Amino acid sequence: MIITHLDRAGGVRETDLFGTFAALSRDEVEDFPALRAHQRHPWHAFTVQVAALAMLRADISDPPGDAEGWRGLLHGLAPPEAWELVVDDWSKPALLQAPGLETGLRHTGKRATTPDAIDMLLTARNHDLKGARMADAPEEDWFFALVSLQTQEGQMGAGNYGISRMNGGYGARVALSLRPAEDRPGTAFRRDITRLLALRPQIERDAVSLGDVALVWTLPWDGTSSLPFDRLDPWYVEICRRLRLVREDGRIAALLANSKMARIEAKARKGVTGDPWAPVEADGSKSWGVSSQGFNYRKMVDLLDHEKIAPAPLARPAPEDGVAGLTLRAAAVARGQGKTEGFHERHIRVPAKAVGVLGAGDRLGTIARERRARAGEAAVILRHALRMLAQGGPEKERADDDVTNARIARFERLFDRAVDGAFFDADFWNHAAETGDTDEHWITWRGRLADMARHTFDEAVSAMPRSTLKRLRAEARGRSRLDGCLKRFRNPHAETAGAKP
Amino acid sequence: MTDPKKSQIERISDLFAVPDALPTRITAPLRRMAPEQWSARLAELLPVLVRAGLRDETADVRRWAVLVHVVAVLSGTTHDAAHASSRRTGAVIFEAGYSEARLSKLLSARGDGLRDQVARLARFLRARGAQPLDLRPLARLVLAEGLDERAADAARLDIARSYYASADRAIKETSE
């Protein structure tokens, strides 16, 4: 199997799987051009987990820089055929494909002839990202599709169970990580492996159970049984579907089979599986998920709120990370019942002065929560003013009017986007990095929110259809309402002293 | 007599508010004038505008004519102050009993129709003794309408906001 990467000089390189691990180790990879956006984290996680497992087993701390070194390491984890994309003998594993599929399926099984037919994105009525377009796809496309399918897919109807590393069949495998300065595949690869190996003793001490199954695809699976969770190594690489790739007339196809139950018995764990990128509720009850709203500022505040969400191990800074140029990265494919609700990703630069508060104490979470609360208050003020505007400036606005609420929704979204863009600005991080608390930051934030609300209202005045006769009344009452409330909002403690958010 | 820091409408108001600042042969015709007859009253208009500091040769005298007429009406024969910056236009109009329908008509009028509505407003307010009021928004509206609609709209909004703010206060007081 050939995997293509761009090297740091922009040249195109083709290597096998072991050569790819070597290139990552040497930090020679600029990009994998065949990777689709939603496949990036699963691929990164696969390489890191496999590498960490192999290095742990070999008791080494420095990753090899050559392909042969990696071949030896990976063969120490699983036999050679387990690293081949297509293996004709179905009694043996293939890469991310378990042995045990009924041989009769070669002729009668459901087949997919393109890799994007097995990968997980299901778009409504085949809109947007079209399905099954990748005819004549090279092997690496199949491989990346397999990684995505087997390590982040959810439940898709009867017989198609999802992964264990998320809460429920319609959840999402959220990845939260701290990316180093000069964020390249190789730097992230080396950073995460180093951290995992350093965290291993703690992981083993904290583990409820410590199994020895690392690569789930190497075990036979006939679809009628689940693997007990306590048999698994904390860094296990799982599969969730039964399939085999075959070569037909020079092309690859996938033969698919159902299963009667999930591959791993982990439903009760609700996604708390030791995934080193997964944020988990602070009480350990379940993993944290994402919806079609993605990683807006409200959700990111949750992720930074350590009273609510325990940070993912690989999202905590470590001394070797340094302080310069770090980025907090969140990524996930949101899922609904029988559909995907978008790939979501967010990067937040963490200034050097604020690295110390990331993952330590609750100051960051407290400030983030308060900023979010103030944004919510400004949104309510704006909503009332917009309603007044949309309803033509009546003496009293009607709160339960669906037509009005529909008309103003896009302006509320406009405000929300403006807040989202400003939320994690320099002032936020400066505030977080300081040890005391003063009025200054809160006055600044309130002032910015008021400006954004006013600007959004101006946009609504320009854009909203309304009759001439009511127009001035609508704007007059709406703007008076807005200005009056924002004046109090900007400085709520004008008559009293003290540092208050 | 005229303060250079004041706007022209304020200076015009000052002229009418001081007895003997302008002779009756000037003020009376301007008070009785119909806005569309402005060209017949240039002999009275121009001295007022010059004394108020209007030097711009391109000034639209037709628009200034209605503003001078408004001041003359509000000032009356008793030289009352027509303008007071602290008395918000819309609030005074509301408290004088000017209906929302008439306000809507005023603020949606254009061209000669606007000048006519502004003149009627002045007579309405004088009849109820509502003067003085802040004449600057009305002046901005008359001078900008049709030329700079953003400025005209801002003036309309200014008047509407203070009108409805007073209306809402009255509603609140009634309900308490």
Side-chain angles (χ1 to χ4, degrees):
Chain A
M1 171 176 63
I2 298 296
I3 298 174
T4 309
H5 70 265
L6 297 180
D7 65 24
R8 289 173 62 182
V12 176
R13 302 284 178 189
E14 293 181 341
T15 62
D16 62 10
L17 183 67
F18 313 109
T20 300
F21 274 82
L24 285 168
S25 298
R26 296 192 303 268
D27 187 20
E28 288 177 356
V29 178
E30 187 61 41
D31 191 21
F32 292 98
L35 268 182
R36 303 163 91 186
H38 70 282
Q39 296 170 333
R40 287 186 184 277
H41 177 71
W43 165 240
H44 170 72
F46 174 82
T47 57
V48 169
Q49 285 168 258
V50 164
L53 285 163
M55 290 169 64
L56 184 71
R57 181 155 304 184
D59 196 21
I60 61 173
S61 56
D62 284 325
D66 62 303
E68 281 313 301
W70 279 105
R71 187 188 305 275
L73 277 186
L74 267 52
H75 286 178
L77 266 187
E81 60 270 16
W83 304 104
E84 296 292 328
L85 193 63
V86 180
V87 174
D88 286 333
D89 182 355
W90 288 7
S91 69
K92 294 185 163 63
L95 186 50
L96 288 165
Q97 301 153 69
L101 207 70
E102 300 82 354
T103 53
L105 289 173
R106 284 184 198 268
H107 309 290
T108 61
K110 183 176 158 191
R111 72 200 321 110
T113 54
T114 60
D116 53 341
I118 66 166
D119 198 357
M120 58 175 301
L121 290 184
L122 275 185
T123 53
R125 299 194 192 89
N126 211 25
H127 289 173
D128 192 14
L129 192 60
K130 302 290 184 186
R133 295 183 71 197
M134 299 168 72
D136 271 342
E139 291 184 349
E140 62 181 338
D141 289 343
W142 282 100
F143 174 42
F144 292 141
L146 262 186
V147 172
S148 178
L149 171 74
Q150 297 286 43
T151 66
Q152 71 172 350
E153 177 64 290
Q155 176 135 14
M156 283 292 176
N160 291 311
Y161 289 87
I163 62 171
S164 62
R165 291 198 187 277
M166 66 187 186
N167 182 13
Y170 307 120
R173 186 183 179 193
V174 175
L176 187 66
S177 57
L178 198 62
R179 302 303 280 256
E182 298 188 58
D183 184 12
R184 289 185 295 275
T187 56
F189 173 77
R190 293 184 65 102
R191 186 261 177 194
D192 282 357
I193 291 171
T194 303
R195 288 300 303 142
L196 279 186
L197 291 173
L199 290 169
R200 183 71 186 194
Q202 183 71 42
I203 290 169
E204 291 185 1
R205 279 194 296 274
D206 295 343
V208 174
S209 57
L210 205 61
D212 59 2
V213 174
L215 306 179
V216 174
W217 78 82
T218 59
L219 300 182
W221 185 26
D222 64 3
T224 64
S225 62
S226 292
L227 205 53
F229 188 80
D230 60 11
R231 283 197 57 192
L232 302 172
D233 183 282
W235 297 340
Y236 68 95
V237 179
E238 68 180 307
I239 58 169
C240 62
R241 299 293 173 83
R242 301 175 68 224
L243 76 160
R244 291 298 290 225
L245 299 188
V246 296
R247 286 189 205 283
E248 296 174 341
D249 300 322
R251 291 181 184 170
I252 293 180
L255 296 172
L256 312 167
N258 288 353
S259 62
K260 288 189 166 54
M261 52 191 68
R263 186 62 188 105
I264 293 168
E265 178 45 61
K267 191 174 175 183
R269 303 196 63 83
K270 296 186 179 174
V272 183
T273 61
D275 184 341
W277 295 276
V280 168
E281 301 275 341
D283 62 4
S285 59
K286 56 185 177 182
S287 64
W288 185 85
V290 71
S291 69
S292 57
Q293 301 295 314
F295 296 104
N296 58 31
Y297 72 91
R298 282 186 291 277
K299 298 296 275 186
M300 290 306 298
V301 169
D302 281 343
L303 281 177
L304 295 174
D305 184 354
H306 300 155
E307 285 189 354
K308 194 170 177 171
I309 305 290
L314 290 176
R316 294 195 191 108
E320 55 269 24
D321 289 329
V323 295
L326 300 181
T327 301
L328 196 61
R329 179 181 179 270
V333 177
R335 190 174 285 106
Q337 191 165 351
K339 59 182 177 178
T340 50
E341 291 187 330
F343 169 66
H344 303 276
E345 189 175 22
R346 184 154 191 171
H347 294 81
I348 297 176
R349 292 298 296 265
V350 182
K353 66 169 76 171
V355 172
V357 293
L358 201 62
D362 192 47
R363 179 170 175 82
L364 192 66
T366 300
I367 291 168
R369 277 197 306 273
E370 289 299 328
R371 275 171 78 103
R372 181 176 61 185
R374 299 296 82 74
E377 289 165 13
V380 169
I381 290 171
L382 177 63
R383 182 178 310 131
H384 287 299
L386 287 173
R387 278 206 196 116
M388 185 66 77
L389 181 71
Q391 290 172 3
E395 288 174 12
K396 195 173 175 189
E397 68 176 88
R398 299 183 302 280
D400 56 353
D401 186 276
D402 290 339
V403 171
T404 300
N405 291 337
R407 284 173 79 187
I408 68 173
R410 70 177 168 122
F411 298 105
E412 292 186 287
R413 286 194 296 272
L414 193 66
F415 176 74
D416 205 55
R417 282 199 295 273
V419 173
D420 198 82
F423 197 92
F424 297 105
D425 61 1
D427 192 59
F428 169 77
W429 293 107
N430 289 339
H431 195 178
E434 290 169 6
T435 49
D437 204 1
T438 63
D439 276 340
E440 184 190 341
H441 292 293
W442 294 121
I443 289 172
T444 300
W445 182 234
R446 285 175 178 272
R448 290 193 70 185
L449 289 169
D451 290 343
M452 285 187 264
R454 191 164 284 113
H455 177 78
T456 305
F457 186 83
D458 289 345
E459 290 286 321
V461 166
S462 302
M464 198 171 283
R466 54 208 180 278
S467 70
T468 305
L469 288 177
K470 283 183 183 173
R471 182 177 73 84
L472 281 168
R473 187 180 74 184
E475 185 177 348
R477 279 200 161 122
R479 206 176 279 283
S480 289
R481 175 114 192 216
L482 183 74
D483 288 349
C485 291
L486 286 180
K487 187 176 176 184
R488 287 188 293 278
F489 173 79
R490 272 183 187 271
N491 201 355
H493 303 285
E495 293 176 2
T496 60
K500 294 276 168 56
Chain B
M1 175 179 294
T2 55
D3 182 343
K5 294 197 190 69
K6 287 187 176 180
S7 66
Q8 275 140 1
I9 194 68
E10 289 172 285
R11 287 186 236 148
I12 293 170
S13 175
D14 287 347
L15 283 173
F16 277 83
V18 175
D20 302 327
L22 292 170
T24 306
R25 63 178 170 77
I26 297 262
T27 58
L30 292 175
R31 195 167 55 244
R32 290 193 294 265
M33 172 186 83
E36 65 271 18
Q37 293 169 348
W38 64 274
S39 56
R41 295 268 79 90
L42 281 177
E44 291 84 12
L45 269 171
L46 292 179
V48 173
L49 295 178
V50 168
R51 283 187 65 180
L54 188 69
R55 299 272 186 263
D56 186 355
E57 289 164 1
T58 63
D60 189 336
V61 178
R62 177 181 50 175
R63 294 172 190 255
W64 279 107
V66 74
L67 294 173
V68 172
H69 170 68
V70 163
V71 172
V73 166
L74 291 173
S75 190
T77 56
T78 49
H79 302 286
D80 295 332
H83 168 80
S85 298
S86 61
R87 286 172 58 79
R88 296 202 66 192
T89 315
V92 170
I93 290 172
F94 173 79
E95 283 152 21
Y98 202 68
S99 71
E100 187 179 4
R102 293 177 83 160
L103 176 73
S104 182
K105 201 169 177 183
L106 168 73
L107 298 183
S108 59
R110 300 289 187 269
D112 287 339
L114 171 63
R115 289 183 279 277
D116 183 59
Q117 287 296 316
V118 170
R120 286 169 186 265
L121 171 65
R123 291 195 290 275
F124 177 91
L125 294 174
R126 176 69 191 181
R128 284 152 184 79
Q131 73 282 358
L133 72 162
D134 186 353
L135 289 174
R136 292 171 298 181
L138 279 173
R140 286 196 297 269
L141 176 58
V142 167
L143 293 172
E145 179 272 321
L147 298 173
D148 180 351
E149 274 305 307
R150 283 186 68 149
D153 246 10
R156 291 185 187 102
L157 184 63
D158 191 332
I159 296 166
R161 284 189 71 171
S162 53
Y163 181 95
Y164 286 111
S166 289
D168 290 341
R169 268 195 299 276
I171 291 166
K172 194 175 171 192
E173 283 162 10
T174 306
S175 64
E176 280 171 355

